[in-house]
Amino acid sequence: MKLILLGPPGAGKGTQAELISKKLNIPHISTGDILRESIRNNTSLGEQAKKIMDQGNLVSDEIILGIIKERVSLRDCKDGFLFDGFPRTIGQADGLKKLNIDINLVIEISLPEETIISRMSGRRIHPPSGRSYHIKFNPPKIDGKDDETGEDLIQRDDDKPETVLARLEVYKKQTDPLIDYYLNLQKNSDLKFIKINGANSPQEVSKEIFRSFE
C-alpha cells in the first residue's frame, strides 16, 4: 500500500506514522530524512541539493522528486511506503503522478486549532537530554524541573502560542489546496481519502486508521 499522511504540527503524525509503518511493514519516508541521507551519501542529487541549501535557497521540486524516485525504487518499498511531509504542494503531487507513483490512500489527521495550541504550548523540554514533558498530559514531578537531574525545563520557541499560530497558518495555506486536489482525484480514481479526528487518543486514532486498511 502507498500512503500519504497529512496533518498539522501537533497532530501526532510522527506517532501514527511509526505505528502504520510497523503494521503494514512498509518504510516511513520523510523528505527531510531522505534529503539528509542523499547528502550524506554524496549522491548526484544530494550534492546538487547541498549546494542549493548551502546558498540558503529551497531545493527545487525537480530535485526532491528525483530523490523520492530513487528512494521508492529500493527493495524495501516493494510492498509500499508511507510519505510523511510529502507532497507539500500541488506541483509535487502532480510530479508523483508523472513518475507513475500511484497513491492508494491519503490520511488527513485533523483537529481544532485550540487543541493544537494547547498540546504544543504545554510542552517542556530538558535540552541536555531531550526529555520531553507536558504541563497537562505528562507533567514533571516538580513543576519546571527535569525528573532525573532537577535542572530547569524550557519551552522551545517553536512551541510558543504565537509561533504555533504562525506555523498553522503556513500549514493551512500549503495543505488546503492539496486536500482539495486529492479529494477531487478520488472521484475519478482508485484513490481513497479519509479524515481522522486527531483530538481522540492516539490509540483511538490508530484504530480508526487501521480500519481503513480493511
Side-chain angles (χ1 to χ4, degrees), residues 8-173:
K13 285 200 314 298
T15 298
Q16 298 304 328
E18 187 177 339
L19 292 169
I20 293 167
S21 178
K22 287 180 180 176
K23 172 81 172 176
L24 299 179
N25 194 27
I26 57 175
H28 169 204
I29 298 175
S30 156
T31 46
D33 289 344
I34 62 171
L35 192 56
R36 285 187 288 272
E37 188 177 342
S38 293
I39 292 170
R40 193 166 53 247
N41 293 338
N42 295 316
T43 67
S44 173
L45 288 169
E47 288 177 0
Q48 290 178 51
K50 187 175 187 304
K51 285 178 184 175
I52 293 167
M53 291 165 70
D54 285 348
Q55 292 167 0
N57 297 319
L58 292 173
V59 178
S60 69
D61 284 353
E62 184 181 1
I63 292 176
I64 292 290
L65 285 161
I67 291 173
I68 288 285
K69 184 181 178 182
E70 287 180 349
R71 178 66 186 86
V72 301
S73 69
L74 298 181
R75 184 178 297 177
D76 65 339
C77 290
K78 66 181 176 64
D79 294 324
F81 45 79
L82 167 66
F83 283 143
D84 176 10
F86 180 87
R88 290 185 184 275
T89 64
I90 301 295
Q92 290 177 353
D94 275 335
L96 281 180
K97 284 181 68 179
K98 289 173 184 173
L99 290 174
N100 294 318
I101 299 174
D102 295 321
I103 302 300
N104 307 119
L105 176 64
V106 177
I107 301 168
E108 180 198 0
I109 301 177
S110 175
L111 66 168
E113 197 172 86
E114 58 270 22
T115 304
I116 296 171
I117 293 169
S118 171
R119 282 185 180 182
M120 297 184 71
S121 63
R123 289 200 295 214
R124 298 294 183 269
I125 305 294
H126 178 241
S129 68
R131 279 187 289 276
S132 177
Y133 301 85
H134 193 283
I135 57 175
K136 181 178 179 182
F137 305 115
N138 179 35
K141 293 172 184 173
I142 300 173
D143 185 37
K145 302 292 182 182
D146 177 55
D147 285 352
E148 294 192 20
T149 65
E151 294 171 339
D152 288 341
L153 302 175
I154 66 160
Q155 182 183 42
R156 299 183 312 169
D157 287 341
D158 272 1
D159 291 336
K160 291 179 179 175
E162 60 273 20
T163 309
V164 174
L165 274 171
R167 291 174 66 192
L168 288 175
E169 191 59 37
V170 170
Y171 172 80
K172 194 173 186 317
K173 196 172 181 179

